[in-house]
Amino acid sequence: MKIAFSAAVGADERAEWLQVLRAACPRHEWLEHWSPGQAVDVAVVANPQPGALQGLHGLRLVQSLWAGVERLLQDPTLPADVPLARMVDPAMNVAMAETAAWAVLSLHRGFFDYARQQRETRWRQLPQRRAGTVPVLVLGLGAMGRAVAARLAALGYPVSAWRRSAAVDVPLPGVQVLHGQAALAAALAGTEVLINLLPLTPDTRAILCAPLFARLPRGACVVNFARGGHLVEPDLLAALDGGHLRHALLDVFAAEPLATDHPFWTHPRVTVLPHVAALTDAHSACRVVAANLDRVERGELPWHLVDRGRGY
Ligand code: NAP
Ligand code: GLV
Protein backbone atom coordinates (compact mmCIF):
# COMPACT_ATOMS: atom_id res chain seq x y z
CA MET A 1 0.00 0.00 0.00
CA LYS A 2 1.01 3.64 -0.40
CA ILE A 3 1.23 5.45 2.95
CA ALA A 4 1.46 9.24 3.28
CA PHE A 5 3.31 10.43 6.39
CA SER A 6 2.62 13.90 7.77
CA ALA A 7 3.92 15.27 11.08
CA ALA A 8 4.23 18.77 12.51
CA VAL A 9 7.62 17.98 14.06
CA GLY A 10 11.25 18.93 13.43
CA ALA A 11 13.33 17.31 10.67
CA ASP A 12 15.23 14.99 13.04
CA GLU A 13 12.07 13.69 14.70
CA ARG A 14 10.42 13.22 11.30
CA ALA A 15 13.40 11.19 10.04
CA GLU A 16 13.37 9.10 13.21
CA TRP A 17 9.65 8.36 12.86
CA LEU A 18 10.01 7.40 9.22
CA GLN A 19 12.90 5.08 9.97
CA VAL A 20 10.94 3.24 12.68
CA LEU A 21 7.73 3.16 10.60
CA ARG A 22 9.54 1.81 7.52
CA ALA A 23 11.25 -0.84 9.66
CA ALA A 24 7.94 -1.89 11.27
CA CYS A 25 5.99 -1.85 7.97
CA PRO A 26 8.56 -2.63 5.23
CA ARG A 27 6.06 -3.93 2.66
CA HIS A 28 4.52 -0.50 2.21
CA GLU A 29 5.71 2.53 0.26
CA TRP A 30 6.12 5.51 2.60
CA LEU A 31 5.67 8.96 1.05
CA GLU A 32 6.73 12.28 2.57
CA HIS A 33 5.59 14.38 -0.40
CA TRP A 34 2.70 14.00 -2.78
CA SER A 35 1.04 15.88 -5.59
CA PRO A 36 -2.62 17.00 -5.66
CA GLY A 37 -4.95 14.11 -6.48
CA GLN A 38 -2.29 11.46 -5.78
CA ALA A 39 -3.69 8.04 -4.87
CA VAL A 40 -2.68 6.95 -1.36
CA ASP A 41 -4.19 4.16 0.77
CA VAL A 42 -3.49 5.40 4.30
CA ALA A 43 -2.22 8.62 5.92
CA VAL A 44 -0.20 8.22 9.13
CA VAL A 45 -0.09 11.55 10.94
CA ALA A 46 1.35 13.17 14.06
CA ASN A 47 -0.72 16.26 14.89
CA PRO A 48 -0.38 17.52 11.28
CA GLN A 49 -0.88 21.11 10.16
CA PRO A 50 -4.49 21.77 9.07
CA GLY A 51 -4.82 21.06 5.35
CA ALA A 52 -1.86 18.67 5.28
CA LEU A 53 -3.92 15.81 3.81
CA GLN A 54 -5.84 17.95 1.35
CA GLY A 55 -5.93 16.53 -2.17
CA LEU A 56 -5.04 12.94 -1.30
CA HIS A 57 -7.16 10.51 -3.29
CA GLY A 58 -8.53 7.08 -2.32
CA LEU A 59 -7.70 7.24 1.40
CA ARG A 60 -8.98 4.24 3.36
CA LEU A 61 -7.71 5.30 6.80
CA VAL A 62 -6.17 8.25 8.63
CA GLN A 63 -4.08 6.81 11.49
CA SER A 64 -3.03 9.28 14.20
CA LEU A 65 0.19 8.75 16.14
CA TRP A 66 -1.32 10.92 18.88
CA ALA A 67 -3.99 9.79 21.33
CA GLY A 68 -5.83 13.12 21.26
CA VAL A 69 -7.27 13.95 17.83
CA GLU A 70 -9.09 17.25 18.47
CA ARG A 71 -6.80 19.18 16.11
CA LEU A 72 -7.43 16.69 13.29
CA LEU A 73 -11.17 16.85 13.88
CA GLN A 74 -11.06 20.65 13.65
CA ASP A 75 -9.41 20.48 10.20
CA PRO A 76 -12.20 21.20 7.67
CA THR A 77 -10.14 19.58 4.91
CA LEU A 78 -10.06 16.17 6.65
CA PRO A 79 -12.20 13.96 4.36
CA ALA A 80 -15.48 13.34 6.23
CA ASP A 81 -15.96 9.82 4.88
CA VAL A 82 -12.51 8.42 5.74
CA PRO A 83 -12.18 6.45 9.02
CA LEU A 84 -9.91 8.10 11.59
CA ALA A 85 -8.05 5.93 14.12
CA ARG A 86 -6.28 7.37 17.15
CA MET A 87 -3.25 6.01 18.98
CA VAL A 88 -4.04 3.59 21.78
CA ASP A 89 -0.73 2.14 22.88
CA PRO A 90 -0.17 0.10 26.06
CA ALA A 91 3.28 1.72 26.48
CA MET A 92 1.70 5.18 26.56
CA ASN A 93 -0.91 4.05 29.07
CA VAL A 94 1.86 2.77 31.35
CA ALA A 95 3.77 6.07 30.99
CA MET A 96 0.64 8.03 31.93
CA ALA A 97 0.02 5.78 34.96
CA GLU A 98 3.63 6.37 36.11
CA THR A 99 3.32 10.15 35.76
CA ALA A 100 0.00 10.11 37.63
CA ALA A 101 1.48 7.99 40.44
CA TRP A 102 4.36 10.48 40.79
CA ALA A 103 1.91 13.41 40.75
CA VAL A 104 -0.46 12.03 43.38
CA LEU A 105 2.33 10.78 45.66
CA SER A 106 4.08 14.16 45.41
CA LEU A 107 0.90 16.08 46.22
CA HIS A 108 -0.19 13.72 49.00
CA ARG A 109 3.23 13.51 50.70
CA GLY A 110 4.03 17.22 50.27
CA PHE A 111 7.09 16.74 48.07
CA PHE A 112 6.40 19.97 46.14
CA ASP A 113 6.29 21.74 49.53
CA TYR A 114 9.63 20.17 50.50
CA ALA A 115 11.15 21.34 47.17
CA ARG A 116 9.98 24.87 48.01
CA GLN A 117 11.35 24.55 51.56
CA GLN A 118 14.74 23.48 50.15
CA ARG A 119 14.89 26.65 48.01
CA GLU A 120 14.21 28.58 51.24
CA THR A 121 16.77 26.48 53.25
CA ARG A 122 13.91 25.67 55.59
CA TRP A 123 13.82 22.46 57.71
CA ARG A 124 10.22 21.59 58.58
CA GLN A 125 8.49 18.20 58.74
CA LEU A 126 4.93 18.03 57.44
CA PRO A 127 2.32 15.54 58.68
CA GLN A 128 2.62 12.14 56.98
CA ARG A 129 -0.82 10.91 55.95
CA ARG A 130 -1.86 7.49 54.74
CA ALA A 131 -2.82 7.09 51.05
CA GLY A 132 -6.19 5.71 52.14
CA THR A 133 -7.15 9.18 53.43
CA VAL A 134 -6.51 10.98 50.10
CA PRO A 135 -9.49 10.59 47.71
CA VAL A 136 -8.64 10.91 44.02
CA LEU A 137 -11.10 11.59 41.20
CA VAL A 138 -10.09 10.81 37.60
CA LEU A 139 -12.08 12.57 34.86
CA GLY A 140 -12.21 10.17 31.90
CA LEU A 141 -12.06 6.40 32.05
CA GLY A 142 -10.65 5.61 28.64
CA ALA A 143 -7.31 4.03 27.76
CA MET A 144 -5.40 6.53 29.93
CA GLY A 145 -7.97 6.97 32.70
CA ARG A 146 -8.26 3.22 33.28
CA ALA A 147 -4.49 2.76 33.55
CA VAL A 148 -4.23 5.71 35.95
CA ALA A 149 -7.19 4.69 38.11
CA ALA A 150 -5.93 1.11 38.40
CA ARG A 151 -2.38 2.23 39.36
CA LEU A 152 -3.63 4.69 41.99
CA ALA A 153 -6.05 2.16 43.49
CA ALA A 154 -3.14 -0.31 43.73
CA LEU A 155 -1.19 2.35 45.67
CA GLY A 156 -4.01 2.47 48.23
CA TYR A 157 -5.83 5.67 47.23
CA PRO A 158 -9.64 5.74 47.28
CA VAL A 159 -10.26 6.27 43.55
CA SER A 160 -13.37 7.36 41.67
CA ALA A 161 -13.48 7.79 37.89
CA TRP A 162 -16.03 9.72 35.85
CA ARG A 163 -17.04 8.80 32.30
CA ARG A 164 -19.66 9.88 29.77
CA SER A 165 -21.58 6.64 29.40
CA ALA A 166 -23.11 4.29 31.94
CA ALA A 167 -21.51 1.33 30.16
CA VAL A 168 -20.09 -1.39 32.37
CA ASP A 169 -17.04 -3.07 30.86
CA VAL A 170 -14.07 -4.83 32.44
CA PRO A 171 -14.35 -3.98 36.17
CA LEU A 172 -11.53 -2.09 37.86
CA PRO A 173 -10.99 -3.39 41.41
CA GLY A 174 -11.01 -0.57 43.96
CA VAL A 175 -12.32 2.07 41.52
CA GLN A 176 -15.78 3.57 41.86
CA VAL A 177 -17.10 4.34 38.37
CA LEU A 178 -19.39 7.36 37.99
CA HIS A 179 -21.35 9.02 35.21
CA GLY A 180 -23.71 11.97 34.99
CA GLN A 181 -23.52 15.52 36.31
CA ALA A 182 -25.08 14.76 39.70
CA ALA A 183 -22.54 12.02 40.41
CA LEU A 184 -19.72 14.35 39.35
CA ALA A 185 -20.91 17.14 41.64
CA ALA A 186 -21.17 14.75 44.60
CA ALA A 187 -17.73 13.24 43.93
CA LEU A 188 -16.02 16.64 43.60
CA ALA A 189 -17.10 17.55 47.14
CA GLY A 190 -15.07 14.66 48.52
CA THR A 191 -12.02 14.87 46.23
CA GLU A 192 -8.53 15.88 47.29
CA VAL A 193 -6.72 15.30 43.99
CA LEU A 194 -8.55 15.80 40.68
CA ILE A 195 -6.87 14.39 37.55
CA ASN A 196 -8.17 15.36 34.12
CA LEU A 197 -7.88 12.72 31.39
CA LEU A 198 -10.83 13.68 29.21
CA PRO A 199 -10.59 14.15 25.45
CA LEU A 200 -11.06 17.75 24.30
CA THR A 201 -14.56 17.94 22.78
CA PRO A 202 -17.26 20.64 22.67
CA ASP A 203 -18.70 19.04 25.86
CA THR A 204 -15.44 19.02 27.82
CA ARG A 205 -13.82 22.30 26.70
CA ALA A 206 -13.30 24.64 29.70
CA ILE A 207 -14.57 22.02 32.16
CA LEU A 208 -11.83 22.97 34.65
CA CYS A 209 -13.37 26.30 35.60
CA ALA A 210 -14.44 28.36 38.64
CA PRO A 211 -17.77 26.55 39.30
CA LEU A 212 -16.01 23.15 39.25
CA PHE A 213 -13.16 24.39 41.49
CA ALA A 214 -15.77 25.79 43.92
CA ARG A 215 -17.23 22.29 44.33
CA LEU A 216 -13.84 20.90 45.43
CA PRO A 217 -13.07 21.15 49.14
CA ARG A 218 -10.60 23.80 50.29
CA GLY A 219 -7.03 22.51 49.92
CA ALA A 220 -7.73 20.28 46.90
CA CYS A 221 -5.23 19.89 44.05
CA VAL A 222 -5.82 19.90 40.28
CA VAL A 223 -3.79 17.89 37.76
CA ASN A 224 -4.30 18.47 34.03
CA PHE A 225 -2.75 15.80 31.80
CA ALA A 226 -5.29 16.06 28.95
CA ARG A 227 -5.46 19.33 26.99
CA GLY A 228 -4.96 23.03 27.73
CA GLY A 229 -8.41 23.75 26.28
CA HIS A 230 -9.99 22.01 29.28
CA LEU A 231 -8.68 24.66 31.67
CA VAL A 232 -9.84 28.24 32.21
CA GLU A 233 -6.46 29.61 33.24
CA PRO A 234 -7.62 32.82 35.04
CA ASP A 235 -10.10 30.74 37.09
CA LEU A 236 -7.31 28.43 38.21
CA LEU A 237 -5.04 31.33 39.19
CA ALA A 238 -7.89 32.93 41.15
CA ALA A 239 -8.64 29.66 42.99
CA LEU A 240 -4.94 29.21 43.87
CA ASP A 241 -4.38 32.83 44.89
CA GLY A 242 -7.60 32.89 46.92
CA GLY A 243 -6.32 29.88 48.88
CA HIS A 244 -9.12 27.54 47.78
CA LEU A 245 -6.82 25.22 45.77
CA ARG A 246 -3.51 24.06 47.26
CA HIS A 247 -1.54 23.14 44.12
CA ALA A 248 -1.92 22.66 40.36
CA LEU A 249 0.17 20.32 38.25
CA LEU A 250 -0.10 21.19 34.56
CA ASP A 251 1.34 19.28 31.59
CA VAL A 252 -0.75 20.82 28.80
CA PHE A 253 -1.59 24.41 27.94
CA ALA A 254 -3.86 26.48 25.71
CA ALA A 255 -0.75 27.71 23.87
CA GLU A 256 2.28 25.41 23.68
CA PRO A 257 5.13 25.98 24.27
CA LEU A 258 4.03 27.98 27.33
CA ALA A 259 5.02 31.65 26.84
CA THR A 260 8.12 32.57 28.85
CA ASP A 261 6.23 35.37 30.63
CA HIS A 262 3.24 33.18 31.58
CA PRO A 263 2.42 33.43 35.32
CA PHE A 264 2.32 29.61 35.66
CA TRP A 265 6.12 29.41 35.32
CA THR A 266 6.80 31.31 38.52
CA HIS A 267 3.68 30.64 40.56
CA PRO A 268 4.82 29.02 43.83
CA ARG A 269 1.94 26.53 43.79
CA VAL A 270 2.00 25.53 40.14
CA THR A 271 4.18 22.77 38.71
CA VAL A 272 4.74 22.97 34.95
CA LEU A 273 5.65 20.03 32.70
CA PRO A 274 6.30 20.50 28.94
CA HIS A 275 3.59 18.10 27.63
CA VAL A 276 5.43 14.92 28.61
CA ALA A 277 2.96 13.02 30.80
CA ALA A 278 2.87 10.24 28.17
CA LEU A 279 4.94 10.67 25.03
CA THR A 280 4.22 8.44 22.05
CA ASP A 281 6.69 5.56 22.18
CA ALA A 282 7.81 5.21 18.55
CA HIS A 283 8.56 1.48 18.69
CA SER A 284 5.34 0.34 20.33
CA ALA A 285 3.26 2.91 18.40
CA CYS A 286 4.63 1.51 15.13
CA ARG A 287 3.40 -1.95 16.11
CA VAL A 288 -0.07 -0.45 16.63
CA VAL A 289 0.17 1.22 13.20
CA ALA A 290 1.36 -2.02 11.56
CA ALA A 291 -1.59 -3.94 13.01
CA ASN A 292 -4.04 -1.38 11.61
CA LEU A 293 -2.37 -1.34 8.18
CA ASP A 294 -2.75 -5.15 8.09
CA ARG A 295 -6.43 -4.77 8.91
CA VAL A 296 -6.95 -2.20 6.12
CA GLU A 297 -5.14 -4.48 3.66
CA ARG A 298 -7.42 -7.38 4.61
CA GLY A 299 -10.50 -5.15 4.30
CA GLU A 300 -11.21 -5.33 8.05
CA LEU A 301 -12.34 -2.49 10.31
CA PRO A 302 -9.29 -0.74 11.88
CA TRP A 303 -8.88 -0.66 15.67
CA HIS A 304 -9.49 2.44 17.80
CA LEU A 305 -11.71 4.36 15.42
CA VAL A 306 -12.80 7.84 16.47
CA ASP A 307 -16.53 8.52 16.64
CA ARG A 308 -16.62 11.90 14.92
CA GLY A 309 -20.09 12.68 16.30
CA ARG A 310 -18.86 12.31 19.91
CA GLY A 311 -15.53 13.99 19.12
CA TYR A 312 -13.30 11.22 20.54
P1 NAP B 1 -10.26 7.76 25.43
O1 NAP B 1 -9.84 6.33 25.51
O2 NAP B 1 -11.00 8.23 24.24
O3 NAP B 1 -11.15 8.01 26.75
C1 NAP B 1 -11.92 9.14 26.93
C2 NAP B 1 -12.69 9.02 28.25
O4 NAP B 1 -13.32 10.27 28.52
C3 NAP B 1 -13.81 7.96 28.18
O5 NAP B 1 -13.92 7.28 29.42
C4 NAP B 1 -15.06 8.80 27.92
O6 NAP B 1 -16.26 8.24 28.44
C5 NAP B 1 -14.71 10.05 28.74
N1 NAP B 1 -15.49 11.19 28.25
C6 NAP B 1 -15.51 11.75 27.01
N2 NAP B 1 -16.36 12.79 26.97
C7 NAP B 1 -16.90 12.89 28.21
C8 NAP B 1 -17.85 13.75 28.79
N3 NAP B 1 -18.43 14.73 28.09
N4 NAP B 1 -18.16 13.56 30.09
C9 NAP B 1 -17.60 12.58 30.83
N5 NAP B 1 -16.68 11.70 30.33
C10 NAP B 1 -16.34 11.88 29.04
O7 NAP B 1 -9.02 8.72 25.62
P2 NAP B 1 -7.58 8.39 26.26
O8 NAP B 1 -6.76 7.58 25.35
O9 NAP B 1 -7.79 7.89 27.64
O10 NAP B 1 -6.93 9.85 26.29
C11 NAP B 1 -7.56 10.92 26.94
C12 NAP B 1 -6.87 12.19 26.58
O11 NAP B 1 -5.59 12.25 27.19
C13 NAP B 1 -6.56 12.39 25.09
O12 NAP B 1 -7.69 12.81 24.37
C14 NAP B 1 -5.49 13.44 25.13
O13 NAP B 1 -6.10 14.70 25.13
C15 NAP B 1 -4.82 13.22 26.49
N6 NAP B 1 -3.44 12.72 26.38
C16 NAP B 1 -2.45 13.47 26.95
C17 NAP B 1 -1.14 13.03 26.89
C18 NAP B 1 -0.04 13.82 27.55
O14 NAP B 1 1.12 13.48 27.38
N7 NAP B 1 -0.35 14.86 28.31
C19 NAP B 1 -0.84 11.82 26.26
C20 NAP B 1 -1.87 11.10 25.68
C21 NAP B 1 -3.17 11.55 25.76
P3 NAP B 1 -16.81 6.82 27.92
O15 NAP B 1 -15.91 5.78 28.54
O16 NAP B 1 -18.19 6.75 28.47
O17 NAP B 1 -16.72 6.83 26.43
C1 GLV C 1 -0.46 13.52 23.44
O1 GLV C 1 -0.84 14.46 24.05
C2 GLV C 1 -1.31 12.66 22.66
O2 GLV C 1 -2.50 13.01 22.48
O3 GLV C 1 -0.83 11.63 22.18
Side-chain angles (χ1 to χ4, degrees):
M1 294 194 295
K2 281 188 168 33
I3 319 286
F5 176 69
S6 175
V9 295
D12 288 353
E13 202 180 328
R14 161 186 294 274
E16 221 172 290
W17 267 114
L18 270 169
Q19 191 190 358
V20 183
L21 284 164
R22 284 192 170 114
C25 316
R27 281 186 296 111
H28 305 300
E29 185 183 344
W30 289 85
L31 309 173
E32 274 190 89
H33 308 284
W34 45 86
S35 38
Q38 180 157 351
V40 160
D41 298 282
V42 176
V44 173
V45 301
N47 214 25
Q49 297 295 354
L53 306 183
Q54 204 166 9
L56 286 177
H57 176 70
L59 269 178
R60 290 194 271 164
L61 174 69
V62 175
Q63 169 69 59
S64 173
L65 293 171
W66 280 41
V69 289
E70 71 287 344
R71 181 157 135 170
L72 271 166
L73 290 174
Q74 281 159 14
D75 180 351
T77 69
L78 187 76
D81 53 342
V82 178
L84 167 63
R86 60 188 206 90
M87 180 50 59
V88 177
D89 173 6
M92 263 179 112
N93 300 340
V94 169
M96 185 61 88
E98 289 169 352
T99 311
W102 161 81
V104 174
L105 281 165
S106 301
L107 292 165
H108 147 219
R109 293 288 304 276
F111 295 136
F112 296 121
D113 302 306
Y114 288 125
R116 197 165 44 241
Q117 286 185 198
Q118 181 175 353
R119 287 194 292 276
E120 296 163 357
T121 58
R122 187 160 176 227
W123 183 279
R124 183 174 69 119
Q125 295 177 336
L126 301 170
Q128 184 174 290
R129 299 163 59 205
R130 283 180 296 109
T133 67
V134 181
V136 179
L137 173 61
V138 181
L139 301 183
L141 192 60
M144 299 279 162
R146 291 184 78 82
V148 164
R151 180 69 66 97
L152 294 174
L155 287 171
Y157 293 100
V159 179
S160 307
W162 185 65
R163 69 188 299 184
R164 189 184 56 86
S165 69
V168 180
D169 36 31
V170 187
L172 283 172
V175 179
Q176 191 190 4
V177 178
L178 312 168
H179 79 104
Q181 291 300 324
L184 173 63
L188 286 168
T191 292
E192 184 161 336
V193 181
L194 178 72
I195 304 181
N196 178 35
L197 280 168
L198 291 165
L200 185 59
T201 70
D203 288 340
T204 65
R205 183 173 288 281
I207 190 170
L208 303 178
C209 61
L212 179 141
F213 299 146
R215 289 191 183 278
L216 290 166
R218 193 175 175 80
C221 302
V222 170
V223 178
N224 190 13
F225 285 156
R227 285 293 184 263
H230 288 124
L231 175 67
V232 182
E233 294 183 353
D235 289 6
L236 177 69
L237 287 168
L240 288 165
D241 293 339
H244 184 65
L245 293 181
R246 180 160 67 85
H247 201 98
L249 203 162
L250 307 174
D251 181 56
V252 285
F253 303 90
E256 295 181 6
L258 189 62
T260 50
D261 60 351
H262 197 289
F264 285 157
W265 282 115
T266 50
H267 197 290
R269 284 180 295 115
V270 174
T271 299
V272 169
L273 294 178
H275 201 143
V276 290
L279 297 175
T280 308
D281 175 314
H283 291 275
S284 58
C286 286
R287 286 196 288 275
V288 176
V289 172
N292 254 359
L293 295 185
D294 288 349
R295 290 183 73 83
V296 171
E297 230 177 3
R298 292 195 298 262
E300 294 167 6
L301 208 58
W303 301 118
H304 313 307
L305 288 179
V306 172
D307 178 332
R308 296 205 194 187
R310 287 187 324 194
Y312 70 100

